[in-house]
Amino acid sequence: MNAEFNVWLLIVGLVLGAGLVWLVIMDSRRRDAEVDAVERPREAAWLSAALADDGFDVSPEAAERLLALHRVYLDAPPPDRVGDDAGDVPDGETDDARPVGEP
């Protein structure tokens, strides 16, 4: 009787351990906050090269500016509304609004 209980505990422990490992692995992606100022120019150069492969001519300086603007966007509070009724800009029109904190 004791051996069957030990086998049951082993199975439950393996399942719980696998679930815990899965949770840790699922949350192991890098976040924007983890990319420091030293790494940003390399990321911008990689982004510029990747876009050049797709036929877009984006300089590393422009890519770095876009990454900086993306960080400002993430640091800003969330928008009031999201979706079709949020006043999205229709195709062909431009939105001249600047992100918060930008000139």
Side-chain angles (χ1 to χ4, degrees):
M1 167 99 175
N2 196 14
E4 293 86 11
F5 183 72
N6 287 340
V7 170
W8 174 250
L9 284 178
L10 177 66
I11 292 171
V12 169
L14 287 174
V15 169
L16 289 176
L20 182 61
V21 167
W22 179 78
L23 284 174
V24 169
I25 289 174
M26 290 300 294
D27 195 39
S28 64
R29 294 184 325 153
R30 294 185 65 195
R31 291 170 177 66
D32 286 328
E34 296 172 357
V35 179
D36 58 3
V38 174
E39 188 178 353
R40 186 161 300 123
R42 287 185 282 163
E43 182 184 7
W46 172 83
L47 186 60
S48 176
L51 288 172
D53 291 344
D54 291 341
F56 298 101
D57 185 25
V58 177
S59 69
E61 293 80 19
E64 192 169 353
R65 177 70 175 139
L66 288 171
L67 291 170
L69 288 173
H70 178 67
R71 180 165 292 220
V72 169
Y73 176 79
L74 292 177
D75 289 341
D80 291 336
R81 296 179 301 184
V82 177
D84 292 338
D85 62 341
D88 293 339
V89 177
D91 291 339
E93 295 183 19
T94 59
D95 184 11
D96 293 332
R98 297 248 178 210
V100 175
E102 292 300 314

